[in-house]
Amino acid sequence: MLQSFSFLPLPKKQLTEGLNHFLKQQLAWCDNPDFSACFPFRETNLPQHFFQQKIIKSDGNTYLTGPRYVNRNIHKPFIELAASSAPLTAKAAEQIFKTWQPLKAKAIRILRRTHTQSSPTNCQIDQFVYVRTLSNNQTISPVTDTDCQITRASSSDLKSGVCRQ
């Protein structure tokens, strides 16, 4: 994963620490009942523990996966590929879908740069993030709605954790 995100303008140490924090959090959700309680296990008639993240192995590679829903709509499930030890192959995708079959998901979401090699499956853009540079004299008003707030970032935000999820 470190190599996958090495293009980010962060010092290697900070990137490594951030990825380690992310992976620890994602792995903790593999056996966390508080995490799985956030999912619609009653509405789907699936056991609560089913919604814990799962580590799936295929051809000697490891894929950390979890359930997700588009806009929290239980009729639009998908599988999040949170981390992996290798790129997603068609065989691994088949194994992931088989493991998560009761979810009835029809898509796997993968975080990737747009110019990387295409996936063995059809891809659809989930979100875009727009950025632009501002001169020091230029001001920007914060943009806020119920789901998002956009403000001008600075290098101190990276240190303070403001930019972290």
Side-chain angles (χ1 to χ4, degrees):
M1 282 187 68
L2 186 59
Q3 184 180 3
S4 298
F5 294 98
S6 63
F7 68 92
L8 293 172
L10 296 170
K12 187 174 180 178
K13 180 181 179 192
Q14 188 175 4
L15 180 60
T16 301
E17 288 171 358
L19 286 172
N20 282 334
H21 174 76
F22 172 79
L23 285 172
K24 284 180 187 176
Q25 178 187 47
Q26 296 293 315
L27 288 167
W29 292 342
C30 289
D31 58 3
N32 183 333
D34 291 334
F35 175 76
S36 60
C38 296
F39 289 86
F41 58 94
R42 290 180 190 95
E43 295 85 347
T44 58
N45 292 318
L46 294 169
Q48 180 182 336
H49 66 84
F50 172 79
F51 290 95
Q52 293 173 341
Q53 300 215 135
K54 298 176 184 0
I55 296 173
I56 298 168
K57 297 193 184 265
S58 178
D59 286 334
N61 297 308
T62 305
Y63 301 89
L64 177 58
T65 62
R68 304 292 188 271
Y69 291 91
V70 175
N71 295 322
R72 297 186 178 197
N73 181 338
I74 66 168
H75 302 293
K76 295 182 178 182
F78 65 92
I79 302 157
E80 178 91 283
L81 180 58
S84 64
S85 63
L88 183 65
T89 64
K91 185 175 179 181
E94 183 180 328
Q95 182 64 36
I96 291 168
F97 280 121
K98 182 178 176 184
T99 301
W100 286 102
Q101 189 280 327
L103 189 65
K104 299 177 183 163
K106 293 182 174 46
I108 298 172
R109 179 167 68 181
I110 306 167
L111 180 62
R112 66 172 58 232
R113 294 177 75 178
T114 57
H115 69 276
T116 59
Q117 293 178 351
S118 63
S119 171
T121 58
N122 292 332
C123 295
Q124 176 181 342
I125 300 295
D126 179 53
Q127 344 178 347
F128 289 102
V129 177
Y130 295 97
V131 282
R132 68 182 176 107
T133 59
L134 297 172
S135 68
N136 288 337
N137 301 346
Q138 197 173 5
T139 60
I140 183 169
S141 301
V143 177
T144 306
D145 69 16
T146 58
D147 297 320
C148 177
Q149 180 178 11
I150 300 174
T151 59
R152 184 177 183 163
S154 69
S155 59
S156 66
D157 293 330
L158 291 172
K159 294 175 186 140
S160 69
V162 171
C163 294
R164 293 185 189 166
Q165 180 79 356

